[in-house]
Amino acid sequence: MTFSSDNLIGGERVPGAGAPWRAVEAATGSALEPAFASATAEQAERACALAAEAFDTYRETPLQARADFLDAIARNILDLGDDLVTRCMAETGLPRPRIEGERGRTVGQLRMFAEVVRRGAFLGLRVDPAQPERKPLPRPDLRLRRIAVGPVLVFGASNFPLAFSVAGGDTASALAAGCPVIVKAHPAHPGTSALVGGAIQRAVAECGLPAGVFALLFEEGIAIGQRLAADPRVAAIGFTGSRRGGTALMQIAATRATPIPVYAEMSSINPVVLMPAALQARGAEIGKAFVASLTLGSGQFCTNPGLVLAVDGPGLDAFLAAASEALPNVAAATMLTPGIHKAYCEGVAALESNPAVERVAQGQEGTGQQGQPVLFATTGAAFRADHRLGEEVFGAASLVVRCADTNELRAVLEGLEGQLTAALHMDPSDHVETRGLLPVLERKVGRILVNGFGTGVEVGHAMVHGGPFPATSDGRTTSVGSLAIDRFLRPVSYQDMPEALLPEALTDANPAQLPRSVDGA
Ligand SMILES: NC(=O)C1=CN([C@@H]2O[C@H](COP(=O)(O)OP(=O)(O)OC[C@H]3O[C@@H](n4cnc5c(N)ncnc54)[C@H](O)[C@@H]3O)[C@@H](O)[C@H]2O)C=CC1
Ligand SMILES: O=C(O)CCC(=O)C(=O)O
């Protein structure tokens, strides 16, 4: 398979400069062709200039045309066929069913946003008609719509090379909102990024949109990404990755002459709470299901169950016994990059050497870049005394906390940082006790789920894939699901604007019959 490793800017392929670098085959460590060269500062500047130039035209594209564009991207991604799947497997070490599934999710996500755009409710149209006779003062005519914020910079995630990358949720929701998108490709899967970027670039041309609507820039390091984040024409940032990377971008965004929002999804250990009746009735069954979730994708999910909380007793013993029986059957699996593998091994070693932590079980030993799954346990008192035990170890490692009683379990939850998910395993007779935990969980997490695990986020209208810091940089939003479009919109009110100058959707005729509220109804 051949494809261009050039940057994609303004509808053209633009070769980068500097020392060439290559993607690495995750399973073998060997270099993959072709060579990539990082984008230059001038190319970053040009991508921003073209995005700014395209903005006013693109944000006013008819909704049907914008929806067709999203559908065209989906179609073009599918048209890449097996070339995309094989390249993506090589770069990430993720198996075929996972990549094919993720491609389906990516395409489904683009199509969902196409439908959201067609329906038009995202525009949030509101009309408060004038009341000239109102006493003591007449009321002006007020009409509101939400417009796109401006060019959005997207940093793709290493662990979801399709669904959270070049044409992933951040890109799809920003394009749906009417924002041009500049993607800084993740250096761990540049070939996958080039293929998907080409699919988007072709869709821009096929749909007759301004070429600045999309750009894809490569770099091995971080300087171009930082430059883009600081560019005054970039209006918002979407990011999925490490806490360090996300907070660095938050810092850049907050200290610019014009600060901008950063929507970063970063770090989460996703507490799993095992309630007493459920543990007693089916502790062993939950233990087996837990191991499957823990080891999925070598544990490289931000929704991975990294923390298990339960009141100590025979039910928890049954859970641990089942998990300890299942885990040694799980083979070590290739991790995404040498850096992620190293960080995982260091995180595991830190837990191993902590005197308050015992190793309960581990999976099969791996070679090279493979991560060996592992399960640890500690006490509630030890966990509360050592904040390091609450830090994410990205990979298939988890820590079970034996709590003395429900009060201690609640105190452990209270002490946690913000999380993406919390999973409750419970039976009907656990309801009363669970009700007491819900206010804590609502304050701590973006999604509370029952009798399941958080891995594998459903892309829908009622999904929240977000949570208080450090799960994300802004817990008021989500990066998955149709609500993600809200991140890239802002309201504008038109007061006493002549009908001839109003946006069409706010005129009395409302020719597309878009949904809108009148006087709040
Ligand atoms: N919670 C989550 O969803 C995820 C967490 N991670 C964590 O991140 C670690 C490293 O994985 P990566 O995917 O490489 O994440 P990363 O945060 O290092 O990189 C993500 C993207 O941000 C860029 N970047 C990183 N630091 C930057 C900085 N200071 N300024 C500007 N751009 C920067 C990188 O070039 C890349 O494009 C993992 O070991 C894991 O701990 C990784 C993936 C997902
Ligand atoms: O669990 C999922 O489907 C999504 C996980 C995710 O967002 C991530 O790992 O970055």
Side-chain angles (χ1 to χ4, degrees), residues 285-367:
E285 190 189 315
I286 301 170
K288 262 193 247 161
F290 161 76
V291 165
S293 172
L294 172 68
T295 55
L296 193 69
S298 202
Q300 300 167 114
F301 280 60
C302 56
T303 44
N304 189 253
L307 183 70
V308 180
L309 308 178
V311 174
D312 209 358
L316 182 56
D317 290 341
F319 168 90
L320 285 169
S324 303
E325 200 182 310
L327 203 55
N329 299 324
V330 181
T334 301
M335 297 193 78
L336 293 156
T337 67
I340 287 176
H341 178 249
K342 181 166 172 278
Y344 176 68
C345 293
E346 286 168 0
V348 168
L351 288 169
E352 292 272 8
S353 65
N354 189 319
V357 174
E358 60 163 316
R359 186 186 343 114
V360 176
Q362 55 188 345
Q364 290 163 17
E365 210 174 325
T367 55

Side-chain angles (χ1 to χ4, degrees), residues 64-207:
Q64 184 61 46
R66 204 186 300 169
D68 289 346
F69 170 47
L70 294 166
D71 281 338
I73 297 173
R75 211 171 37 245
N76 290 351
I77 289 173
L78 289 178
D79 284 349
L80 293 168
D82 214 43
D83 285 352
L84 177 63
V85 176
T86 51
R87 177 73 192 198
C88 195
M89 286 165 60
E91 288 183 331
T92 62
L94 295 169
R96 176 175 284 277
R98 156 67 195 272
I99 297 298
E100 288 180 347
E102 199 182 322
R103 179 179 58 178
R105 173 167 160 178
T106 307
V107 165
Q109 190 161 246
L110 285 157
R111 291 180 173 152
M112 178 195 72
F113 277 112
E115 199 46 42
V116 165
V117 169
R118 272 186 205 101
R119 288 187 195 151
F122 75 98
L123 293 168
L125 303 172
R126 295 164 178 228
V127 178
D128 289 349
Q131 293 176 355
E133 311 304 332
R134 193 182 69 172
K135 300 286 184 235
L137 290 172
R139 184 173 85 171
D141 182 274
L142 280 171
R143 294 170 192 240
L144 177 153
R145 70 166 177 163
R146 301 198 301 165
I147 68 164
V149 292
V152 172
L153 172 62
V154 172
F155 289 81
S158 57
N159 61 333
F160 272 79
L162 299 172
F164 286 79
S165 199
V166 176
D170 285 342
T171 297
S173 54
L175 290 175
C179 301
V181 168
I182 300 166
V183 177
K184 207 295 277 180
H186 197 291
H189 55 259
T192 304
S193 300
L195 284 162
V196 175
I200 302 180
Q201 195 184 48
R202 281 193 291 285
V204 171
E206 286 158 13
C207 297

